[in-house]
Amino acid sequence: MPTPASTPATTTHPATGRVVAVHGGVVDVRFDAGALPPVTQALQVQWDQAGPLMLEVQAQLDERTVRTVALQETYGLARATPVVDSGDALTVPVGEGLLGRLIDVVGQPGDGGPALPADTPWRAIHQAPLPMQRRRAAVEVFETGIKVIDLLAPLAMGSKAAMFGGAGVGKTVLVMELIQVMASTYQGLSVFAGVGERSREGQELLQDMRDSGMIDHSVLVFGQMNEPSGARWRTPLAALTIAEYFRDEARRNVLLLMDNVFRFVQAGAEVSGLLGRLPSRVGYQPTLASEVAAVQERIACGEHASLTAIEAVYVPADDFTDPAVTALATHIDSRVMLSRALAAEGMYPAVDPLASQSVLLDAQVVGQRHVDLARAVRETIARYRELQDVIALLGVEELSVDDRRLVDRARKLQRFLTQPFAVTQAFTGNPGRRVARAQTLDGCQAILDGACDTWPESALFMVGTLDEARARVDKA
């Protein structure tokens, strides 16, 4: 497999320098002759360690010295070690040969499999966003088959959605289900960017995808928690480059999943501090907005295919005014909130129906009936939550007839919005259910209209369509 340094350079005789200082993940390199490498140029260290060491230029300190960020561990790097200018930005492999593989930020396989094919093309990770004349509006609804998302936080092909949630609330299961939806329904591919993933999480995700058969339609790009901040910082750009190739060259719909985008921001803050930049508000890097935009603005519908993003975002201390969260939120079309309280009750997927929202919940995108029905569902569940304290203190019998009826329908709506997933069938024994958006709307409408008032709540729990729930009632 070719290394990034073996890709064609822009100069006949690449410039050679030497390491003059090492500050953890920051390395200063001096070039005694030739042109100084520009910012974002990739350099390769010619050392005697087993793995490669790539550097990315971040600043020119003087006319002969550049300051770089290391993309691999610098342990064992010494002064005077030779460094070669690659003549281009950092490159990653792209194309069909990556399907089913896990690679790191410089394109090295990390799944224990064989080397990538020798004819695998490579692309620079720094690319300009699609120009406006080559974009299509994100108005084609991306039906996930997940009832609560399709109803209350709809997605569109080429849109960006953020999934807010902590550990153990079902993010990975949702990610795997969406990968399966993209592969089976839209004949598309998935690119997963694991930013700051723990080794255990990465191993579990890889194994789960192999067991479920989804790995053949996916590419995994990992910058793990134990890697230098530079690797975690550039992982989203590497994954984006691979996804853009499939969208533009292969003309296939691509689902880009990033977990966790907040760790990408954290990595940028670490790099900024190592480079000696003065911190901005709450200690974040002064370039926070531009770094986030450099990733988010490359996600778009192309002329022939789309690039849709689902991003997991950690909210520090549940503070939605945090600068990192607000910088990300300005680019997001749909917000899916995962609730630990719902997960504790076994309501999977544990999506909060009140906190989740989407700018695509618009009559021009999904239709007026969908908008009105989503509003009615939210109002019913919101009123039920208002009454929960009264119910806990006095009991449901003390409510008025209308409120008792509303509480009953709200509880049935909550249970109807749960469903089993195909990727969890091996653990639960329940076959996965994927529900068309029209069937979701019909089911919610029937519950709100009172068609299910005589049904037990259990008939609506973990089912697909309302017809399946009706079959349960008839069987009982």
Side-chain angles (χ1 to χ4, degrees):
M1 183 196 69
T3 63
S6 65
T7 55
T10 57
T11 56
T12 305
H13 302 287
T16 302
R18 67 182 188 280
V19 174
V20 294
V22 181
H23 310 279
V26 171
V27 180
D28 292 347
V29 180
R30 183 173 180 83
F31 290 84
D32 294 325
L36 206 60
V39 172
T40 72
Q41 192 99 314
L43 314 178
Q44 184 169 26
V45 177
Q46 304 292 306
W47 65 347
D48 56 359
Q49 303 291 329
L53 174 55
M54 299 299 299
L55 312 174
E56 185 179 84
V57 177
Q58 292 299 315
Q60 296 181 346
L61 301 183
D62 55 45
E63 62 268 14
R64 288 298 169 201
T65 309
V66 295
R67 178 156 288 172
T68 69
V69 171
L71 301 176
Q72 283 112 349
E73 184 57 60
T74 58
Y75 181 78
L77 182 61
R79 290 182 180 180
T81 303
V83 177
V84 175
D85 181 2
S86 71
D88 198 357
L90 179 70
T91 58
V92 291
V94 295
E96 300 289 335
L98 267 71
L99 293 176
R101 302 302 303 273
L102 183 152
I103 63 171
D104 62 14
V105 71
V106 298
Q108 300 292 324
D111 53 6
L116 297 177
D119 58 350
T120 301
W122 293 68
R123 271 194 174 184
I125 66 170
H126 298 284
Q127 301 285 344
L130 275 179
M132 295 302 296
Q133 62 269 25
R134 293 183 55 195
R135 295 188 180 213
R136 289 183 293 120
V139 294
E140 180 187 351
V141 176
F142 173 41
E143 289 197 20
T144 65
I146 301 171
K147 291 179 287 189
V148 65
I149 293 179
D150 287 343
L151 174 67
L152 301 175
L155 312 181
M157 303 295 284
S159 67
K160 296 178 278 287
M163 196 164 53
F164 298 87
V169 294
K171 289 197 305 298
T172 300
V173 173
L174 267 175
V175 163
M176 293 176 62
E177 188 72 12
L178 289 169
I179 290 173
Q180 191 173 70
V181 170
M182 177 58 79
S184 60
T185 305
Y186 293 92
Q187 289 74 51
L189 306 173
S190 299
V191 179
F192 180 86
V195 186
E197 288 282 306
R198 300 174 183 87
S199 298
R200 171 187 57 79
E201 294 173 336
Q203 175 63 29
E204 289 177 356
L205 177 65
L206 178 62
Q207 192 60 48
D208 288 345
M209 291 184 69
R210 283 174 172 169
D211 294 342
S212 63
M214 287 299 99
I215 192 69
D216 295 334
H217 307 283
S218 309
V219 181
L220 308 182
V221 186
F222 271 37
Q224 293 181 253
M225 187 174 288
N226 62 324
E227 296 186 53
S229 53
R232 290 177 271 124
W233 190 40
R234 290 313 189 202
T235 296
L237 293 181
L240 257 172
T241 303
I242 296 169
E244 287 172 335
Y245 178 89
F246 285 119
R247 178 194 65 189
D248 300 333
E249 304 297 331
R251 297 186 177 183
R252 300 184 66 175
N253 292 322
V254 184
L255 180 64
L256 175 67
L257 302 121
M258 289 192 281
D259 185 11
N260 187 302
V261 183
F262 182 76
R263 295 191 189 123
F264 157 70
V265 173
Q266 280 186 315
E270 292 178 36
V271 169
S272 182
L274 289 169
L275 294 174
R277 297 172 184 157
L278 290 175
S280 183
R281 191 159 62 100
V282 198
Y284 287 108
Q285 61 270 43
T287 54
L288 171 63
S290 60
E291 288 178 12
V292 169
V295 173
Q296 301 295 337
E297 290 305 307
R298 288 170 62 178
I299 301 168
C301 267
E303 296 174 290
H304 306 286
S306 64
L307 174 53
T308 308
I310 308 288
E311 308 169 16
V313 181
Y314 166 71
V315 182
D318 294 330
D319 179 14
F320 283 89
T321 65
D322 185 87
V325 177
T326 55
L328 290 163
T330 57
H331 299 274
I332 297 301
D333 301 313
S334 305
R335 184 173 72 179
V336 179
M337 297 291 298
L338 296 175
S339 166
R340 189 171 299 281
L342 289 174
E345 295 177 16
M347 300 288 186
Y348 288 107
V351 177
D352 190 328
L354 300 186
S356 302
Q357 57 186 334
S358 172
V359 299
L360 300 165
L361 191 60
D362 185 277
Q364 294 182 340
V365 179
V366 297
Q368 189 62 49
R369 182 196 178 213
H370 187 154
V371 174
D372 294 340
L373 193 55
R375 184 183 298 113
V377 168
R378 279 204 177 96
E379 289 174 353
T380 302
I381 295 176
R383 178 59 180 161
Y384 166 54
R385 290 190 181 180
E386 290 175 3
L387 295 170
Q388 280 182 322
D389 289 341
V390 176
I391 296 171
L393 290 172
L394 304 176
V396 71
E397 296 80 9
E398 297 301 319
L399 299 178
S400 67
V401 174
D402 289 342
D403 281 344
R404 283 203 299 271
R405 184 185 303 116
L406 181 143
V407 167
D408 179 65
R409 292 176 182 176
R411 289 176 61 86
K412 287 174 179 174
L413 278 172
Q414 284 186 326
R415 280 148 183 78
F416 179 65
L417 293 178
T418 65
Q419 69 189 86
F421 286 162
V423 295
T424 61
Q425 182 174 346
F427 310 104
T428 64
N430 296 327
R433 296 289 187 270
R434 198 167 298 156
V435 184
R437 184 164 61 101
Q439 292 177 311
T440 299
L441 298 179
D442 291 343
C444 292
Q445 186 72 65
I447 295 172
L448 289 171
D449 291 344
C452 309
D453 284 355
T454 59
W455 296 6
E457 293 178 0
S458 58
L460 295 159
F461 181 66
M462 284 294 173
V463 298
T465 64
L466 199 65
D467 290 338
E468 294 180 31
R470 185 178 290 110
R472 284 186 181 181
V473 174
D474 295 341
K475 187 177 180 180

